[in-house]
C-alpha cells in the first residue's frame, strides 16, 4: 500500500445525547470506529444520522457524552481544530471560484506555501479523476464532477478522518453506483477513518466495513453488512434492510414452536419472551415434498405468481393468515411447473437461514 495507508484515527463515542425540546435526536449513543474503518450510519430520515455526524464535526454540541479521536477528548474542540475532511449532499462548493481554488481553500486557510498548495491540489484532483480540470468554473461541471471536487477539497490536506453526509443522493442511479465503488477504492487507498451517512440500505451494504443501523437516535444494531443482513437483531433492522415477513413463535421449555411445530434453528434464539421468525423472500424455497430434518416447512396457499424474466415472485398466505413472498430464479425445467393462484404449496426455510428475534422492539444489540 502507499506510505499514507493506515493513518486513520479511531473514534470513540460514549453516551452522546442530544435533545431538541422533546425530540431525542441522539439517545446515549455508544459507538467505536476503528482506525481506517469505513463505517456507515444507516437509518430513515429523522433518525439522527446528521446530528451524530455534526457532533463528530463539532458543529453540534451534545448535551452529554464523550468523543475521542485517538486518545484525545474532542467535545469542546472547535470544528476547525478537529482536522476533518467533510463532504455534504449539496456539495457546498464556492460557485465563483475555479475548481483549483475550491480545492486549495483548506490549504490556504492553513497558510501552506503556494508551491505546496499547487502540488497537493493537482494530486487531489488526480486522485478523484479530475486531473486537468483545475481552471474550470464550478458551473461548468456535472453533478458527479462537482461531487468529486467536493471530495478533492475534503482530502487535500490529508485528514485522518473523513465524514460524508449522503454525498451521492443528488446523483442519478448509474452514477451513484459507480461513485460508490470509487469512494470505497479511494478510502482503501488513502486509509483514513471514514464515517458515511446514508438512508439507502443497498449503498450501505455495498460500501461499508460495518454498518450502524440508527433509529430514534439509538444504535439498533452494529455489524458487518453480512451480519446486519443475515442476522438482524430486531424487527426494525429486519424491516429496514431487505424484505421480510414475520411469524410469531413461542418458547416451550427448551424448544421453540412456530405454526404448531418445533422450529429448527442453528443459532441460539434470543433470551426474550415472545419471538418472531423472519421470513425473507430469497431464503424461502418451494418444496416438492415434506422437508428433511434440516429444513423448516410451512403450508401455504398461493395468492399470486409474478413472472419477472430471470426470477419469479410468489405471494402466499400461511394458515394463520400471515402473508409472505418467495423469490427464486426461473429455470427452463421449472418454468412450466410454477404453482398457480389457489394452489396449496409447502415452503421451506433451511435451519441455517432461520433467524428468530424478540417480538418487542429491541434495544441496542
Ligand atoms: P437524519 O439526518 O437521520 O435525517 P437528523 O439528525 O437531521 O436526522 O435529525 C434527527 C432529529 O432531530 C429529527 O427529529 C430532527 O427534526 C431533529 N433536529 C435535528 N436538528 C434540529 C435542530 N437544529 N432543531 C430542532 N430539531 C432538530
Ligand atoms: Mg440527515
Amino acid at each position: 500500500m502507499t506510505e499514507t495507508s493506515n493513518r486513520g484515527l479511531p473514534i470513540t463515542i460514549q453516551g452522546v445525547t442530544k435533545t431538541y425540546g422533546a425530540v431525542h435526536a441522539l439517545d446515549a449513543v455508544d459507538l467505536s470506529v476503528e482506525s481506517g474503518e469505513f463505517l456507515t450510519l444507516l437509518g430513515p430520515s429523522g433518525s439522527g444520522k446528521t446530528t451524530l455526524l455534526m457532533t463528530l464535526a463539532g458543529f453540534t454540541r451534545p448535551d452529554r457524552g464523550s468523543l475521542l479521536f485517538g486518545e484525545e477528548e474532542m467535545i469542546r474542540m472547535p470544528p476547525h481544530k478537529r482536522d476533518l475532511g467533510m463532504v455534504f449532499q449539496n456539495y457546498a462548493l464556492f460557485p465563483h471560484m475555479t475548481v483549483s481554488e475550491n480545492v486549495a481553500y483548506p490549504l490556504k486557510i492553513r497558510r501552506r506555501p503556494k508551491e505546496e498548495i499547487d502540488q497537493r491540489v493537482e494530486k487531489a484532483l488526480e486522485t478523484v479523476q479530475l486531473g486537468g480540470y483545475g481552471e474550470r468554473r464550478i458551473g461548468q461541471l456535472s453533478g458527479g464532477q462537482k461531487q468529486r471536487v467536493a471530495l478533492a477539497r475534503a482530502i487535500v490536506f490529508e485528514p485522518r478522518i473523513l465524514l460524508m453526509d449522503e454525498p451521492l443522493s443528488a446523483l442519478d442511479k448509474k452514477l451513484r453506483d459507480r461513485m460508490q465503488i470509487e469512494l470505497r477504492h479511494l478510502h482503501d487507498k488513502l486509509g483514513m477513518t471514514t464515517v458515511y451517512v446514508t438512508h439507502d440500505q443497498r449503498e450501505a451494504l455495498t460500501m461499508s466495513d460495518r454498518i450502524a443501523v440508527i433509529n430514534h437516535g439509538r444504535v439498533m444494531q452494529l455489524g458487518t453488512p453480512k451480519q446486519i443482513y443475515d442476522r438482524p437483531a430486531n424487527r426494525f433492522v429486519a424491516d429496514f434492510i431487505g424484505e421480510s415477513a414475520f411469524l410469531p413463535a413461542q418458547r416451550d421449555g427448551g424448544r421453540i414452536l412456530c405454526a404448531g411445530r418445533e422450529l429448527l434453528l442453528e443459532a441460539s434464539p434470543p433470551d426474550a419472551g415472545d419471538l418472531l421468525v423472519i421470513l425473507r423472500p430469497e431464503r424461502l424455497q418451494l418444496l416438492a415434498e415434506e422437508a428433511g430434518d434440516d429444513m423448516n416447512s410451512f403450508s401455504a396457499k398461493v395468492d399470486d405468481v409474478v413472472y419477472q424474466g430471470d426470477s419469479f415472485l410468489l405471494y402466499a398466505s400461511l394458515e394463520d393468515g400471515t402473508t409472505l413472498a418467495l423469490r427464486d430464479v426461473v429455470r427452463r425445467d421449472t418454468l412450466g411447473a410454477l404453482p398457480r393462484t389457489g394452489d396449496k404449496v409447502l415452503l421451506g426455510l433451511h435451519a441455517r437461514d432461520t433467524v428468530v428475534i424478540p417480538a418487542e422492539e429491541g434495544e441496542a444489540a
Side-chain angles (χ1 to χ4, degrees):
M1 294 291 294
T2 63
E3 78 280 6
T4 54
S5 66
N6 221 356
R7 48 190 295 287
L9 273 178
I11 301 170
T12 311
I13 300 163
Q14 280 172 332
V16 165
T17 295
K18 178 74 188 176
T19 51
Y20 292 107
V23 176
H24 277 69
L26 297 176
D27 191 358
V29 172
D30 293 326
L31 189 62
S32 292
V33 192
E34 289 168 24
S35 167
E37 185 176 27
F38 194 117
L39 182 122
T40 296
L41 307 176
L42 171 67
S45 174
S47 56
K49 306 180 296 295
T50 294
T51 305
L52 186 53
L53 209 71
M54 287 298 142
T55 302
L56 296 181
F59 296 113
T60 294
R61 173 78 72 87
D63 309 332
R64 269 191 300 287
S66 152
L67 169 66
L68 304 178
F69 291 173
E71 305 285 305
E72 198 178 354
E73 177 58 62
M74 285 288 143
I75 275 298
R76 287 168 200 289
M77 188 80 81
H80 66 276
K81 290 199 176 153
R82 295 193 183 196
D83 214 30
L84 302 158
M86 290 206 71
V87 184
F88 304 96
Q89 175 184 346
N90 57 4
Y91 318 127
L93 297 171
F94 304 113
H96 56 284
M97 292 186 194
T98 64
V99 167
S100 282
E101 286 163 352
N102 266 279
V103 177
Y105 185 77
L107 299 173
K108 283 230 170 89
I109 57 175
R110 286 173 174 75
R111 302 189 187 287
R112 309 308 304 168
K114 175 162 186 340
E115 212 165 290
E116 181 192 325
I117 292 181
D118 290 347
Q119 214 174 1
R120 285 207 192 197
V121 166
E122 194 47 47
K123 187 173 155 212
L125 286 175
E126 269 163 27
T127 303
V128 300
Q129 300 175 25
L130 282 180
Y133 279 71
E135 295 315 307
R136 301 260 185 122
R137 301 255 144 210
I138 297 303
Q140 297 172 303
L141 303 178
S142 70
Q145 288 168 334
K146 282 182 195 161
Q147 201 48 289
R148 286 200 179 92
V149 176
L151 192 59
R153 189 180 57 182
I155 61 170
V156 72
F157 56 98
E158 302 190 351
R160 302 182 68 183
I161 296 173
L162 179 63
L163 306 179
M164 291 190 266
D165 195 349
E166 313 236 7
L168 305 183
S169 55
L171 307 180
D172 67 51
K173 177 162 171 13
K174 251 194 175 150
L175 186 56
R176 206 161 64 221
D177 289 349
R178 211 173 68 218
M179 288 291 288
Q180 287 169 6
I181 308 289
E182 261 185 47
L183 280 181
R184 180 64 222 211
H185 284 165
L186 190 73
H187 163 89
D188 293 346
K189 188 169 144 200
L190 300 179
M192 62 231 147
T193 304
T194 298
V195 182
Y196 188 93
V197 164
T198 184
H199 64 269
D200 180 337
Q201 46 137 327
R202 193 168 288 279
E203 186 162 296
L205 293 170
T206 302
M207 300 180 75
S208 319
D209 292 319
R210 287 190 303 164
I211 298 170
V213 183
I214 313 275
N215 193 35
H216 296 310
R218 287 185 296 153
V219 178
M220 302 302 291
Q221 189 172 359
L222 173 66
T224 63
K226 201 164 173 354
Q227 286 165 346
I228 296 279
Y229 190 85
D230 287 341
R231 294 273 174 249
N234 50 61
R235 183 170 182 149
F236 177 80
V237 174
D239 242 346
F240 191 67
I241 300 180
E243 271 174 72
S244 14
F246 300 94
L247 195 58
Q250 300 79 35
R251 214 178 284 279
D252 174 42
R255 307 183 308 163
I256 291 178
L257 300 179
C258 179
R261 310 169 78 166
E262 179 173 3
L263 192 72
L264 307 169
L265 283 171
E266 280 192 5
S268 46
D271 199 13
D274 290 337
L275 301 167
L276 294 171
V277 182
I278 298 175
L279 303 172
R280 296 237 198 242
E282 70 281 11
R283 295 288 184 258
L284 289 164
Q285 45 188 287
L286 270 172
L287 298 179
E289 55 197 45
E290 189 59 34
D293 56 8
D294 55 356
M295 186 79 87
N296 293 296
S297 64
F298 306 91
S299 307
K301 192 157 84 53
V302 176
D303 296 325
D304 243 318
V305 179
V306 182
Y307 173 71
Q308 295 185 322
D310 57 343
S311 61
F312 67 93
L313 260 175
L314 181 144
Y315 296 99
S317 306
L318 302 183
E319 278 154 2
D320 73 342
T322 301
T323 58
L324 52 76
L326 173 155
R327 184 184 301 114
D328 207 346
V329 292
V330 172
R331 287 176 291 267
R332 281 254 161 258
D333 54 328
T334 54
L335 186 52
L338 286 181
R340 294 163 202 273
T341 302
D343 284 356
K344 292 237 155 71
V345 288
L346 198 58
L347 309 180
L349 181 65
H350 205 284
R352 67 166 177 263
D353 294 331
T354 305
V355 180
V356 175
I357 56 173
E360 300 297 315
E361 190 68 78
E363 287 293 318

